[in-house]
Amino acid sequence: MRRGALLALALVALVAGSVAAEPTQEQGERFERAGALLEDRAGWDEAIALYRALLVESPEWTAPRLGLARVLAWRGDYGESLEHYERVAASPAAPPDLATERAEVLSWAGRNSEARVLFEEVLARSPDDPRVARGLARTYLWSGQRTKANVWYVRALALQDDAEARQEYGALRGELKQQIGAGAFAFFDSENFSYLRTGADASLDWDFDTRIYAYTGAVLIARDRNSDAVLPDSPDHDSAIEGRLGVERRFATRWKGTAELGGRGWKHAEDRVLARGVLEYAPNENAVAALEVDHGDQLEHSYSLESVQQGIGRTGGKLSYWRQLNSAWEGYGEVGGAWLSDSNGELAMGGSVAWRPFPDVDVQTALALDAMHYQDMSPYYYSPDIDLGGTLSVMGRVPIHGALAFVFDAGGGAGFSQEQGASSFGPAYRAKLGLRWDRGGFSVALDAARSQSVRDSSYTTHEAALRMSWSF
């Protein structure tokens, strides 16, 4: 695509360039030989050498400069290519379609904003030029603006049926997906609490900027009571039905928002409205800043039956920032807090640095630090004065056979906890193992995990998750 549109024109158009002085017969022969070499990639280096030699002898000769600009662009040397295009554009012998050609090379170079401006300038003069319409479609596609790319592919194909553009348009439309899925998640800990959630979900790409999704499921929680139970006369279990509807919308190239609303109805406890909103800003493909707010109960933040029975609600928010530093390193940080309906408050922050030691192997190491503080102690959920943790982990994905892969995330470190004046320090770890199978839009994931952290004593958890989905 990056050279096919120009190759047929190049061999003819090169001979149309003007010269400051009439070339000699020998120069003309070398120029014609360079043009013939463009037909085969193996001859490009020799063609470039011939063009450079001709320009040393005749710097104002437009035709070899245009030939050099084109072959450099085909080879991916966009910076030097565009320098030569600019010199040709300043020449009185510049061909009439040079602006379109320059815009195409700008888009190949990833300079999409400049390319778009130049395409639009040409479009103002030639509104029915299919080549310009195709160029704008590709520029919007490569800059991530798929809705606008869709509009321009439709217009370009209406002006002229082009096999390459039609193939690109088909691939673009193929990105619109629908998905259905189902899964289950089980959790239990060393404080005799157990949690089981099952559910099903569906999502639909309404257009290239909008995704709509829905979830419905059931939650069952329980805790084996003992003589020290905070609420000894309350049921030792509860169950709920829940549902959520959400929409994700990309507002522009760099902004995306998510809005989600739903509810959870408990059998014995207070029903709860569930709401969530996220606003993301991506200044480039290597960084994302996000603001998230949510409202619900304390359950998934404390895994406590008593917090549900007491009807404790939670409204929280956090700011986060992720950045890909280079091909091997990335960093993440977040800070947030929450207001609880029992007049308590939570502050939390954390960060991590991850390193991918082998570029061709899906294995990553990460160092993570986190801290949490509660304003007051609550007897109904874990609410430390301070909780600090640090872990060094290794995670990755290893192919097993065909579509089956083994995934892992294991790490260890240490933690410190202080609650009601009593402090504790000790080792912490997490080990997660799983299998993934992906083929033809179908996906199955099975995970199991065990972790240990520090509270007033050693605290352990066990998890298991199964997820199946079909994307079509």
Side-chain angles (χ1 to χ4, degrees):
M1 179 174 64
R2 293 192 171 189
R3 68 174 187 275
L6 300 180
L7 185 55
L9 296 173
L11 301 178
V12 175
L14 288 176
V15 300
S18 66
V19 308
E22 193 71 22
T24 65
Q25 180 178 349
E26 188 271 339
Q27 286 176 322
E29 290 172 354
R30 280 189 287 155
F31 174 75
E32 290 179 3
R33 172 166 174 73
L37 288 167
L38 299 180
E39 295 180 357
D40 188 345
R41 187 185 183 94
W44 289 0
D45 288 344
E46 185 180 350
I48 289 171
L50 286 169
Y51 285 139
R52 291 193 193 280
L54 290 169
L55 289 174
V56 169
E57 298 167 11
S58 304
E60 301 306 317
W61 191 2
T62 301
R65 189 172 300 282
L66 183 55
L68 180 59
R70 285 171 171 158
V71 70
L72 287 172
W74 300 343
R75 199 172 69 171
D77 297 333
Y78 302 123
E80 184 182 356
S81 170
L82 288 166
E83 290 177 5
H84 289 293
Y85 271 114
E86 289 171 7
R87 288 195 61 174
V88 174
S91 167
D97 60 350
L98 184 69
T100 302
E101 198 170 312
R102 286 175 62 204
E104 289 171 336
V105 177
L106 283 166
S107 68
W108 300 348
R111 293 162 61 174
N112 294 302
S113 296
E114 298 172 68
R116 179 181 54 77
V117 170
L118 197 51
F119 275 130
E120 289 175 348
E121 289 177 358
V122 178
L123 193 68
R125 301 190 298 269
S126 305
D128 295 326
D129 188 331
R131 184 179 175 188
V132 176
R134 287 193 298 270
L136 270 171
R138 290 164 178 158
T139 299
Y140 282 123
L141 176 64
W142 296 337
S143 62
Q145 300 181 67
R146 284 167 167 74
T147 296
K148 292 183 178 179
N150 180 75
V151 171
W152 281 100
Y153 271 117
V154 170
R155 179 169 177 177
L157 291 168
L159 291 170
Q160 182 183 72
D161 191 11
D162 178 85
E164 193 171 25
R166 184 166 292 282
Q167 183 179 12
E168 295 165 11
Y169 178 60
L172 175 63
R173 297 295 302 179
E175 294 182 14
L176 294 174
K177 298 291 185 182
Q178 300 82 45
Q179 186 180 83
I180 56 175
F185 172 77
F187 170 97
F188 62 95
D189 64 16
S190 56
E191 296 182 347
N192 302 316
F193 174 83
S194 61
Y195 171 101
L196 175 64
R197 184 183 71 241
T198 59
D201 59 86
S203 65
L204 166 70
D205 288 334
W206 186 261
D207 57 34
F208 290 101
D209 293 321
T210 309
R211 184 174 78 94
I212 301 171
Y213 62 92
Y215 170 84
T216 184
V219 177
L220 174 64
I221 58 176
R223 182 177 180 187
D224 293 336
R225 291 282 167 74
N226 54 42
S227 59
D228 298 326
V230 177
L231 301 172
D233 298 326
S234 299
D236 62 0
H237 67 279
D238 205 345
S239 60
I241 301 297
E242 63 180 9
R244 297 190 297 271
L245 290 172
V247 59
E248 292 180 357
R249 174 72 181 178
R250 187 174 299 280
F251 300 105
T253 306
R254 297 181 174 87
W255 291 92
K256 185 173 77 171
T258 301
E260 183 180 294
L261 184 63
R264 177 179 283 171
W266 291 101
K267 184 176 181 179
H268 301 297
E270 179 183 341
D271 296 342
R272 183 69 57 187
V273 172
L274 304 176
R276 176 173 170 266
V278 183
L279 182 63
E280 296 179 68
Y281 172 70
N284 53 62
E285 63 181 10
N286 297 321
V288 178
L291 170 64
E292 179 177 353
V293 294
D294 65 90
H295 174 77
D297 52 32
Q298 180 70 355
L299 176 60
E300 278 78 19
H301 298 274
S302 66
Y303 285 116
S304 164
L305 173 65
E306 290 79 7
S307 71
V308 173
Q309 292 174 332
Q310 289 298 107
I312 297 173
R314 183 181 191 277
T315 301
K318 71 176 181 180
L319 284 168
S320 63
Y321 182 71
W322 170 86
R323 182 171 179 79
Q324 183 81 41
L325 304 174
N326 53 43
S327 60
W329 291 89
E330 64 183 68
Y332 173 82
E334 65 176 38
V335 59
W339 297 266
L340 282 75
S341 60
D342 61 350
S343 301
N344 205 353
E346 172 198 320
L347 291 175
M349 63 180 62
S352 65
V353 177
W355 174 50
R356 187 182 298 274
F358 311 108
D360 299 325
V361 180
D362 191 5
V363 174
Q364 191 176 57
T365 64
L367 174 64
L369 302 172
D370 59 82
M372 180 172 60
H373 162 73
Y374 276 84
Q375 178 182 322
D376 299 307
M377 185 272 173
S378 170
Y380 306 118
Y381 52 89
Y382 179 56
S383 48
D385 298 327
I386 188 168
D387 184 301
L388 302 174
T391 58
L392 180 64
S393 58
V394 180
M395 63 204 76
R397 180 186 180 108
V398 179
I400 297 176
H401 177 73
L404 185 64
F406 170 69
V407 295
F408 62 92
D409 182 351
F416 172 81
S417 175
Q418 180 174 300
E419 189 175 16
Q420 289 186 294
S423 61
S424 180
F425 177 82
Y429 68 83
R430 175 175 171 81
K432 179 179 179 181
L433 306 175
L435 295 172
R436 296 287 188 278
W437 183 85
D438 299 280
R439 173 171 290 173
F442 290 93
S443 178
V444 180
L446 176 64
D447 295 306
R450 174 186 168 92
S451 69
Q452 176 179 304
S453 58
V454 177
R455 292 190 176 181
D456 56 346
S457 61
S458 177
Y459 174 72
T460 60
T461 70
H462 297 82
E463 300 174 14
L466 174 64
R467 164 75 180 170
M468 299 176 289
S469 65
W470 177 38
S471 180
F472 55 95

